[in-house]
Amino acid sequence: MIRGRESLLTKLYIVSDFLVIQAIFFIAWVLRFYLLDGVITAEVSFEDYFIWNIAFSIIYITTGLMVSLYTPKRKKSFFSEIFKIIQVNFISMFMILSLLFLFRTVDVSRVFLFLYFLFNIISQVSYRFIIKKGLWKLRSKGFNKQFIIVLGAGALGKDFYHTVKKNPEYGFEILGFLDDYKKSISNNESEYRPILGKIKDLEDVLNKKLVDEVVVALPLTVYSKYGDIIRICEKAGVRVSIIPDFYDVLPANPNFEKFGDFPIINVRDVPLDDYVNRGLKRSFDILFSIIAIVLVSPLLIIIALGVKLTSPGPILFKQERVGLNRRKFYMYKFRSMKHMPESISNTQWTTENDPRKTRFGSFIRKTSLDELPQFFNVLKGDMSVVGPRPERPFFVDQFKEDIPKYMVKHQIRPGITGWAQVCGLRGDTSISDRIKHDIYYIENWTLSFDIVIIFKTVVNGFINKNAY
């Protein structure tokens, strides 16, 4: 791999995706119409299918360019790339199905579409992973390096240096530091790269050494030097990155916007603040909930009868929870405990051998069937299908004092299932870990992420050892 050829790699990815999609088309065609069925009727036209395959390919690549699937990702994890691949496939398939419905030129086999869609995701993720692994190995052995100068040899610069050293697969090498107050970093020079001079020596260093990027790791007290640093780097054609002195209070992906002439950093970027994303998620919630209610309506009747026949009291149990923007609402569940005053049910955790539970209630709690009425909460707009689980006001008041960033979860609608839950954080598990997962979901929301969580909820099953 030749150093500095990221643009070539981008073009190769585009060409590879196009070729992979064509290969998957032929594989899906053979599987569906030769191996699985064995009969090709007169209505099935290879030419029509192939034309729509080309249309899908064009939509896929165009969408990929729009969502930055093909931008260089040296500093990003492969996990984020997987989500983009799934997202682009979902969007492209939705668009091609819409076009097929609109034009009605060919009745496409559902089995073919399923194979085509599934194999595309698997193949694109697989071949990209193989390329990534190859690049990681090459970079860890010294190939395809990018060379960095760090401005500032203080705690911030040292932390960045250690991060680079711990991740050799990204292919970065620090040539040295520039610092106005230190001549060396430590007595053990083998631990760090050398200090090459002072900040004023930056232009000379860039002229003498092959440098790809300058990383500014200076405190805000020397902010006055930033303008000259950026000017010198741009004059030399070298990329410049700034690590904010207050980086530890920023989220992983801060959002920048402009207000008048002022660039503003949003401490937390919430994709669902965008009205288009909100509308998309709300439409999906309504459609999914209606379908779910229709499909499970016989089960709803059976559970309702089970609750009524096994314990005196109402069938449904409603409990006050804290939702979007800290607004309170009543969440519905099938009653799984003996009827009791709200002052008790709202302030006590459920334990494994809780005497308040009924026998039938233990079963529907363990299998999460008591949660099914929450689809009506989704239709009302109090909840979403996917989101952080809502908590009772009594415990919210406790947790917000003890758990950092606990209240961030209320920036979006709570959900029936969520990222924390499918990662095993249900019932008697760490609240801090749940909040970390909830915040990750809030900051990285996409419709495809919701679909992945729903899929994992179904695949992992509804029975949970921590669901008391």
Side-chain angles (χ1 to χ4, degrees):
M1 177 61 63
I2 301 174
R3 177 183 165 276
R5 294 294 180 88
E6 282 83 0
S7 60
L8 175 61
L9 190 61
T10 294
K11 293 173 184 176
L12 287 174
Y13 271 132
I14 292 174
V15 173
S16 298
D17 277 352
F18 182 83
L19 295 176
V20 165
I21 293 172
Q22 310 318 304
I24 293 303
F25 168 77
F26 287 106
I27 291 171
W29 175 270
V30 171
L31 279 174
R32 170 62 183 91
F33 296 112
Y34 285 89
L35 300 181
L36 296 181
D37 198 338
V39 177
I40 301 181
T41 63
E43 289 78 17
V44 177
S45 168
F46 179 86
E47 289 76 14
D48 285 338
Y49 271 65
F50 188 71
I51 288 171
W52 286 109
N53 162 67
I54 295 296
F56 176 88
S57 306
I58 295 171
I59 292 170
Y60 181 91
I61 292 170
T62 304
T63 306
L65 290 168
M66 291 174 63
V67 302
S68 303
L69 177 62
Y70 299 111
T71 56
K73 301 175 180 66
R74 185 183 284 250
K75 295 178 183 176
K76 294 186 178 180
S77 69
F78 184 65
F79 191 66
S80 64
E81 191 169 348
I82 292 174
F83 273 115
K84 281 196 181 294
I85 292 170
I86 294 172
Q87 180 184 11
V88 172
N89 271 283
F90 268 106
I91 293 172
S92 303
M93 184 57 70
F94 175 78
M95 292 180 69
I96 204 70
L97 288 175
S98 300
L99 290 173
L100 283 167
F101 177 79
L102 183 64
F103 291 102
R104 295 181 180 274
T105 57
V106 59
D107 184 17
V108 179
S109 162
R110 293 181 179 86
V111 175
F112 171 83
L113 284 175
F114 174 77
L115 295 173
Y116 184 65
F117 176 72
L118 181 64
F119 290 170
N120 264 318
I121 292 178
I122 293 173
S123 60
Q124 287 155 8
V125 169
S126 299
Y127 96 78
R128 283 171 180 266
F129 180 73
I130 293 170
I131 292 175
K132 279 281 187 184
K133 288 289 286 184
L135 288 173
W136 289 341
K137 286 184 178 180
L138 284 172
R139 288 166 181 163
S140 63
K141 292 179 179 179
F143 296 96
N144 193 225
K145 287 280 189 181
Q146 286 194 353
F147 300 105
I148 296 174
I149 294 290
V150 179
L151 305 190
L156 203 58
K158 288 180 180 179
D159 288 345
F160 180 76
Y161 175 85
H162 286 301
T163 300
V164 170
K165 290 291 286 183
K166 285 189 290 187
N167 297 278
E169 69 275 10
Y170 291 122
F172 295 116
E173 182 176 336
I174 293 178
L175 298 175
F177 296 83
L178 296 180
D179 194 280
D180 286 342
Y181 302 102
K182 294 184 179 182
K183 294 183 178 179
S184 64
I185 293 183
S186 68
N187 294 327
N188 183 8
E189 286 298 328
S190 62
E191 182 182 354
Y192 293 99
R193 302 299 290 173
I195 291 181
L196 303 173
K198 296 185 177 182
I199 304 299
K200 64 181 179 61
D201 300 320
L202 175 61
E203 190 165 7
D204 289 336
V205 172
L206 294 183
N207 288 332
K208 292 175 181 177
K209 291 183 177 291
L210 182 62
V211 179
D212 293 290
E213 185 173 0
V214 169
V215 173
V216 181
L218 297 170
L220 287 176
T221 52
V222 294
Y223 166 75
S224 58
K225 297 183 179 181
Y226 280 34
D228 286 337
I229 290 169
I230 294 171
R231 178 184 57 78
I232 291 169
C233 290
E234 290 183 340
K235 179 182 176 182
V238 174
R239 292 192 302 271
V240 58
S241 301
I242 299 173
I243 304 176
D245 194 21
F246 50 92
Y247 77 97
D248 53 334
V249 300
L250 291 176
N253 299 298
N255 181 47
F256 290 81
E257 63 182 8
K258 197 166 186 179
F259 179 71
D261 294 329
F262 296 96
I264 297 174
I265 303 174
N266 289 323
V267 173
R268 196 163 309 282
D269 180 25
V270 180
L272 287 171
D273 283 345
D274 182 83
Y275 72 94
V276 175
N277 288 338
R278 284 202 307 273
L280 186 63
K281 183 172 175 65
R282 183 67 186 140
S283 300
F284 176 80
D285 284 340
I286 292 171
L287 180 62
F288 188 92
S289 297
I290 290 173
I291 293 172
I293 289 169
V294 170
L295 292 177
V296 303
S297 54
L299 185 59
L300 294 175
I301 295 171
I302 292 170
I303 297 172
L305 288 173
V307 173
K308 193 66 179 175
L309 295 174
T310 57
S311 173
I315 293 172
L316 290 179
F317 169 69
K318 66 176 186 177
Q319 190 175 63
E320 194 174 46
R321 299 287 174 116
V322 180
L324 175 66
N325 294 326
R326 306 178 304 283
R327 302 295 193 270
K328 296 175 183 176
F329 70 98
Y330 282 101
M331 187 180 78
Y332 304 127
K333 298 174 105 178
F334 282 120
R335 184 174 56 83
S336 58
M337 294 190 175
K338 299 168 185 175
H339 191 49
M340 65 191 74
E342 287 188 8
S343 58
I344 298 176
S345 62
N346 288 345
T347 59
Q348 291 186 16
W349 285 109
T350 307
T351 58
E352 185 172 5
N353 298 309
D354 201 312
R356 298 172 296 166
K357 291 188 294 185
T358 66
R359 183 175 297 180
F360 186 72
S362 295
F363 166 72
I364 61 174
R365 288 180 74 92
K366 200 72 176 176
T367 55
S368 301
L369 294 174
D370 62 325
E371 311 279 0
L372 290 178
Q374 286 161 39
F375 282 113
F376 293 99
N377 281 118
V378 176
L379 290 179
K380 284 179 61 181
D382 295 327
M383 295 178 67
S384 176
V385 176
V386 179
R389 286 295 291 166
E391 191 49 83
R392 288 162 281 183
F394 177 81
F395 292 108
V396 169
D397 290 338
Q398 289 184 357
F399 295 150
K400 72 180 182 181
E401 301 296 335
D402 301 328
I403 310 295
K405 304 179 182 178
Y406 180 81
M407 298 302 288
V408 172
K409 65 183 284 187
H410 299 109
Q411 292 185 17
I412 66 171
R413 283 189 179 91
I416 298 176
T417 185
W419 182 234
Q421 283 65 47
V422 299
C423 291
L425 296 169
R426 286 186 58 190
D428 188 16
T429 53
S430 169
I431 303 297
S432 297
D433 287 345
R434 283 194 230 175
I435 292 303
K436 289 176 184 176
H437 283 71
D438 288 340
I439 290 176
Y440 178 85
Y441 170 79
I442 290 169
E443 293 180 348
N444 295 276
W445 177 87
T446 61
L447 186 59
S448 56
F449 195 8
D450 275 2
I451 293 170
V452 168
I453 291 171
I454 292 171
F455 180 75
K456 285 176 72 71
T457 301
V458 175
V459 170
N460 292 347
F462 300 98
I463 297 176
N464 187 281
K465 64 180 180 180
N466 295 317
Y468 302 145

